[in-house]
Amino acid sequence: MEAEPLLPPRGWRGARGLRRDGGAQRGPGADSDLYINQAIVFIEDAIQYRSINHRVDFNSLWLYRWYYSRIWQWILSLTITIILALAFIEKPSSLTVTSDVRYRLPAWNPPCGLTESIELLCFLVFMVDVSVKSYLIGWEEFWKNKWLMAYILTLIVSVTDWIVSLSFFCAEDVRIRRILRPFFLLQNSSMMKKTLKSINSTLPEMASVVLLLAVHLSLFTMFAMLLFARTKLFAKFSFFCVFLSSNTGIPGHALDGQQDKEWLSYFRNLPDSLTSLLVLLTTANNPDVMIPAYSKNRAYSIFFILFTVLGNLFLMNLLTAIIYNQFRGYLLKSVQSSLFRRRLGIRAAFEVLSSLKEAPANAQQSYVSTGALLQVLQKVEMDSRCKQAIMRSLKTCSCDQLSAAQFQKLFEELDKDAIKQHPPSPEYQSHFMQKMQLAFGHPYFGYLGNVVALANIISICVVLVMDADKQPSERDDFFLGAINCFFILYYLLEMLLKILAMGLKRYLSYPSNRFDGLLTVILLALEIATFAVYGFPHPGWRPEFMGLLSLWDMVRLVNMLIVFRFLRIIPNMKFMSLVVTTLLDLVKNLRAFAGILVVVFYAFAITGIMLFKGAVVPLGNTSAVNTTYDNGTLLCGTYEQLEYWPNNFDDFAAAVVTLWDVMVVNNWQVFLEAFSRYSSPWAKIYFVAWWLISSVIWVNLFVALLLENFIHKWDRRCHREPVSDIEYQRTVELMFRDVLEEPTEEELMEKLHQHPHLQLCR
């Protein structure tokens, strides 16, 4: 194994050259270039929280930087997107207007070899990717890297399945490689790997609550089967039954019929009983599941209320609390590991740069010259804000050499909040212009705009209410056209006055101003076009009857955007602003969670296609057993009566939408019953597994991250004064920054000594 000296012996530093590559001489200048390149790569590793355990010779460093360059990463991301998107066009294709099995026309399916050729190109890119990765980390690290080994295994299985597919002329129904495609997305994201590892570490704690839920469900299922059995033994469930039947005058056979209906509809056998109570755990069939028994005796409601309180209110919320607590701890450990990688990368850069200059023989501490660091910073790819801040600190430093602590402190700029500072306002010399700037730059002018926006919304609502019951021929659009004209002119005036007071650059630096300005320009253009075609508003003005219907419809649609102008009040309300900024930051940091959800959606959608493709057919092509009453009408609440025909697994797009509907859990019992009837009773396992993974685990993880982000911002709000000209942007790593522990000197040096491709000689 090749090993590059991180810090050569002091006797080497004055030598003419080092013996490398079979005796080739490399001069001190070449070694200096190597150390500079190593430092550049180590700093870039620290910025991106990457591991430094890779080859560090000249050629490997060039290959390493090329691999993490924007071009290659863009090619890799594009390849992953393409191979995932193939599911929409390959057989069964999603290229139809509707997924409703009653109206869907035959879809266009690509000829054999078209999508397979695209797949082959994607596989070639992945082969290059895994080959470069394996080479850069070395064989010793390769055998320790389970992700890389799984990457190679996935490629082998996918290529084998691809060959089998071609040998059958693309006629096979099961394609294993389609299920494996999400792995390419998963392995390409370090944050997704960390999140998945955190989820995996949280599973034992979640399993205990899930087991308790299973016990709760099982006990109540057995109790329900005894309570609602088809026998008169339990017809007298309590003295309430006796009292009702003897004192209300209700015939006994009617009460027994209600109990038989409960048994027949929900508790006929063990699978139906388990399914009914499992759905009740999500409240999707409440109170439907209770009504037959409740109609007979109100005391039966105690059973269902008790089950819901214990299961839904206590155990499910307890699961949320456990997931939040455990996941936060494991995510914190993951972020702590990321901080260690950053500090290790910076320390490795310090060590290689400290070998550039000869140090005294009796020196007990290493130093790095500021000139060498400046040379490195000029070549490092990093955020311009951080680079400028570090270089400013470096130039203002009075010393010519930096110790390890000083070197590390310089790069703490990477850990700070990303700050966006708005440009300054223009300075006018005229006293009149200064007064104008003061008036129209004052917050009260913004408040006036909020009041006008509210008035615009109210006026639109009034017009909509007045015209709601009128026929199109009876409507008079004069009032709506007039108020549109007035408010658009005000928005235009407001925009121009704000630009005058703030300056164009400062005005555009605020997202709310950009949205307002864009909306105003669109409104003004449409209004001018409307007046040019229809003339100015007047009584009896009905432009929808004068042609160019789409133009007038666009004005009405833009009125919807006017409603969003009222969202401009959010920055003026501190608590609402806190909530919105929390949501925005969450969206920015949600890529890992969203990626994992995409992986799960993709895998389940492909599995659903393989299991249920073509299972759902229109009523005319199949018997209507268990779906109709005796008179031929459809049973209420069934898949057929609710017309859920577009929800199926006949193509990838339809499968994704169906899984989304099940994840929301509203009426998901309809899907359980329908696909069990159309395919097999074992289909329930598929939907229950999807519910557990999507609704129970992923949604609770999302709630955990949302809570952590909100609590963090709430705590910081008390320690930071609001500054109007500064916006703070945070990442997941920065979210935990206040509670992370700094690694010690001994830990960093011990880890550097274990580097497989570097040799510390001191």
Side-chain angles (χ1 to χ4, degrees):
M1 180 183 299
E2 182 180 3
E4 291 292 332
L6 174 60
L7 187 64
R10 301 192 185 278
W12 289 7
R13 299 185 185 181
R16 293 184 177 179
L18 301 177
R19 302 289 295 184
R20 300 171 186 264
D21 302 327
Q25 291 288 331
R26 183 174 293 168
D31 286 324
S32 298
D33 292 340
L34 174 62
Y35 299 142
I36 292 292
N37 290 331
Q38 288 176 345
I40 292 171
V41 170
F42 288 148
I43 291 175
E44 290 177 348
D45 287 341
I47 294 170
Q48 301 297 331
Y49 301 101
R50 294 195 296 252
S51 171
I52 65 170
N53 291 338
H54 52 78
R55 298 179 186 270
V56 290
D57 58 279
F58 270 107
N59 296 330
S60 298
L61 289 175
W62 176 88
L63 183 61
Y64 186 84
R65 295 197 75 191
W66 171 83
Y67 178 80
Y68 284 106
S69 65
R70 291 182 180 179
I71 295 177
W72 175 251
Q73 292 301 311
W74 182 84
I75 292 174
L76 192 57
S77 300
L78 180 62
T79 304
I80 294 172
T81 304
I82 290 174
I83 198 169
L84 291 178
L86 285 178
F88 289 99
I89 62 173
E90 62 189 0
K91 186 179 179 180
S93 172
S94 302
L95 302 178
T96 55
V97 176
T98 178
S99 61
D100 194 317
V101 296
R102 298 170 299 177
Y103 314 123
R104 183 181 58 213
L105 298 175
W108 174 83
N109 289 311
C112 182
L114 179 60
T115 57
E116 285 74 17
S117 300
I118 299 175
E119 271 188 300
L120 180 60
L121 293 177
C122 294
F123 290 153
L124 292 176
V125 174
F126 293 142
M127 289 176 186
V128 173
D129 179 60
V130 72
S131 300
V132 173
K133 272 186 178 179
S134 303
Y135 168 77
L136 288 175
I137 67 173
W139 287 109
E140 182 178 346
E141 291 295 313
F142 169 79
W143 293 112
K144 299 178 184 177
N145 195 318
K146 296 179 180 179
W147 281 102
L148 271 182
M149 297 179 68
Y151 195 178
I152 293 177
L153 181 61
T154 302
L155 274 175
I156 292 174
V157 174
S158 298
V159 172
T160 304
D161 187 66
W162 180 85
I163 295 173
V164 172
S165 179
L166 285 182
S167 64
F168 282 94
F169 299 100
C170 312
E172 81 287 1
D173 293 328
V174 178
R175 299 181 182 181
I176 301 175
R177 65 184 184 277
R178 299 182 70 187
I179 304 179
L180 301 178
R181 286 175 186 169
F183 179 83
F184 299 124
L185 173 65
L186 190 63
Q187 65 83 30
N188 194 49
S189 171
S190 60
M191 194 61 198
M192 284 177 61
K193 293 177 185 177
K194 293 176 184 178
T195 305
L196 191 63
K197 185 177 180 181
S198 300
I199 294 173
N200 184 54
S201 302
T202 312
L203 286 178
E205 286 74 17
M206 286 192 290
S208 60
V209 181
V210 172
L211 181 61
L212 190 58
L213 274 171
V215 172
H216 167 75
L217 184 63
S218 301
L219 291 178
F220 272 83
T221 298
M222 299 304 297
F223 190 32
M225 292 184 69
L226 294 172
L227 189 61
F228 305 114
R230 194 180 187 182
T231 173
K232 293 184 178 180
L233 176 63
F234 294 96
K236 298 179 181 180
F237 163 64
S238 65
F239 72 94
F240 294 107
C241 298
V242 179
F243 177 80
L244 286 175
S245 61
S246 60
N247 294 282
T248 61
I250 301 175
H253 65 83
L255 296 178
D256 291 340
Q258 289 296 325
Q259 179 155 330
D260 286 344
K261 185 177 179 182
E262 183 78 38
W263 168 81
L264 182 64
S265 301
Y266 301 105
F267 300 101
R268 189 168 186 171
N269 50 50
L270 182 60
D272 288 349
S273 302
L274 277 172
T275 302
S276 298
L277 291 183
L278 178 63
V279 174
L280 181 59
L281 195 63
T282 65
T283 69
N285 61 350
N286 186 67
D288 299 1
V289 69
M290 180 180 69
I291 292 300
Y294 184 56
S295 297
K296 176 182 179 180
N297 189 331
R298 68 182 70 215
Y300 281 116
S301 63
I302 298 175
F303 169 82
F304 296 99
I305 293 174
L306 188 62
F307 174 81
T308 304
V309 168
L310 292 177
N312 187 268
L313 299 184
F314 282 95
L315 293 180
M316 293 298 289
N317 288 319
L318 178 63
L319 180 63
T320 301
I322 289 177
I323 289 177
Y324 168 71
N325 184 59
Q326 295 296 328
F327 179 75
R328 182 187 185 277
Y330 287 112
L331 185 60
L332 179 61
K333 290 180 181 179
S334 177
V335 176
Q336 180 71 56
S337 175
S338 296
L339 177 68
F340 184 85
R341 285 188 173 189
R342 172 166 285 182
R343 296 293 182 262
L344 185 64
I346 298 300
R347 186 53 191 262
F350 173 83
E351 292 295 333
V352 295
L353 289 178
S354 66
S355 64
L356 286 173
K357 190 173 181 180
E358 179 68 29
N362 58 353
Q364 299 297 320
Q365 189 174 4
S366 298
Y367 292 91
V368 170
S369 67
T370 56
L373 182 54
L374 281 172
Q375 184 181 355
V376 170
L377 287 175
Q378 291 173 354
K379 299 180 180 180
V380 169
E381 292 186 5
M382 62 188 301
D383 182 67
S384 58
R385 176 193 64 83
C386 293
K387 181 182 288 190
Q388 292 173 4
I390 294 173
M391 295 184 75
R392 279 197 304 268
S393 301
L394 197 57
K395 290 177 180 178
T396 55
C397 181
S398 57
C399 54
D400 294 332
Q401 292 183 334
L402 300 171
S403 65
Q406 293 172 322
F407 191 89
Q408 196 75 255
K409 188 174 181 60
L410 277 176
F411 286 92
E412 288 182 359
E413 190 70 31
L414 299 172
D415 304 326
K416 296 180 180 178
D417 295 347
I419 300 175
K420 179 182 178 181
Q421 193 161 2
H422 301 286
S425 300
E427 297 181 1
Y428 294 109
Q429 301 299 325
S430 171
H431 182 70
F432 174 75
M433 293 299 296
Q434 290 177 358
K435 290 289 186 180
M436 292 276 289
Q437 186 179 33
L438 179 63
F440 299 119
H442 198 278
Y444 286 160
F445 185 65
Y447 299 154
L448 176 61
N450 294 337
V451 173
V452 173
L454 178 61
N456 195 355
I457 293 173
I458 293 175
S459 63
I460 293 175
C461 291
V462 169
V463 173
L464 293 176
V465 171
M466 292 173 59
D467 294 344
D469 297 328
K470 293 182 180 180
Q471 296 293 331
S473 59
E474 299 174 354
R475 296 176 185 172
D476 189 347
D477 294 317
F478 166 67
F479 181 68
L480 184 60
I483 63 173
N484 271 345
C485 182
F486 170 78
F487 284 112
I488 290 171
L489 288 176
Y490 176 82
Y491 296 151
L492 177 63
L493 180 63
E494 181 190 31
M495 180 183 71
L496 295 176
L497 291 176
K498 279 189 174 183
I499 293 175
L500 178 68
M502 304 171 64
L504 182 60
K505 290 184 178 179
R506 183 177 176 84
Y507 177 84
L508 294 176
S509 65
Y510 290 91
S512 59
N513 288 340
R514 292 196 297 269
F515 176 76
D516 282 351
L518 178 62
L519 182 60
T520 301
V521 171
I522 294 174
L523 282 168
L524 182 63
L526 289 174
E527 195 73 2
I528 293 173
T530 303
F531 291 161
V533 176
Y534 306 124
F536 289 95
H538 55 272
W541 194 53
R542 290 191 293 272
E544 63 266 29
F545 292 102
M546 299 174 61
L548 289 178
L549 178 63
S550 60
L551 183 61
W552 181 246
D553 285 344
M554 282 300 296
V555 176
R556 290 179 178 268
L557 290 175
V558 172
N559 280 328
M560 299 178 189
L561 297 179
I562 291 176
V563 177
F564 288 98
R565 286 183 62 91
F566 196 62
L567 296 178
R568 55 192 281 172
I569 69 170
I570 290 176
N572 300 324
M573 301 178 66
K574 292 183 179 180
F575 181 77
M576 188 180 294
S577 177
L578 175 67
V579 173
V580 172
T581 53
T582 300
L583 292 176
L584 292 178
D585 283 350
L586 189 65
V587 170
K588 296 175 185 176
N589 298 320
L590 204 61
R591 287 179 297 179
F593 285 86
I596 291 177
L597 186 63
V598 168
V599 168
V600 177
F601 254 103
Y602 200 100
F604 267 83
I606 296 297
T607 305
I609 291 173
M610 288 192 281
L611 294 176
F612 309 119
K613 179 180 177 295
V616 176
V617 293
L619 282 177
N621 299 331
T622 183
S623 60
V625 179
N626 297 329
T627 63
T628 59
Y629 293 107
D630 294 336
N631 59 4
T633 59
L634 292 171
L635 286 174
C636 183
T638 60
Y639 181 93
E640 295 78 10
Q641 186 270 330
L642 294 172
E643 295 189 342
Y644 281 5
W645 301 107
N647 291 301
N648 53 64
F649 291 89
D650 289 352
D651 59 71
F652 184 77
V656 169
V657 175
T658 303
L659 289 175
W660 173 264
D661 292 338
V662 175
M663 187 180 76
V664 177
V665 302
N666 184 39
N667 272 356
W668 74 296
Q669 73 277 7
V670 176
F671 299 97
L672 285 173
E673 186 274 333
F675 284 94
S676 297
R677 176 162 38 84
Y678 279 114
S679 57
S680 166
W682 295 101
K684 293 180 180 180
I685 297 177
Y686 171 85
F687 289 98
V688 172
W690 170 247
W691 168 74
L692 281 173
I693 293 175
S694 62
S695 296
V696 176
I697 297 178
W698 190 89
V699 171
N700 281 311
L701 289 173
F702 176 80
V703 171
L705 184 61
L706 178 64
L707 287 173
E708 185 61 33
N709 207 335
F710 180 79
I711 292 172
H712 178 81
K713 280 188 170 292
W714 183 269
D715 293 340
R716 288 179 63 88
R717 190 186 68 158
C718 303
H719 300 89
R720 174 184 288 167
E721 293 295 329
V723 183
S724 59
D725 284 351
I726 296 179
E727 294 179 1
Y728 295 88
Q729 302 169 357
R730 302 190 66 79
T731 62
V732 172
E733 289 81 6
L734 293 176
M735 190 169 67
F736 292 98
R737 183 66 188 88
D738 297 336
V739 295
L740 297 179
E741 296 180 0
E742 288 288 338
T744 63
E745 175 81 7
E746 291 75 16
E747 290 174 339
L748 293 175
M749 295 306 297
E750 180 183 1
K751 193 67 176 178
L752 284 177
H753 278 286
Q754 297 174 359
H755 196 290
H757 304 289
L758 297 174
Q759 291 180 348
L760 271 176
C761 301
R762 65 177 183 87

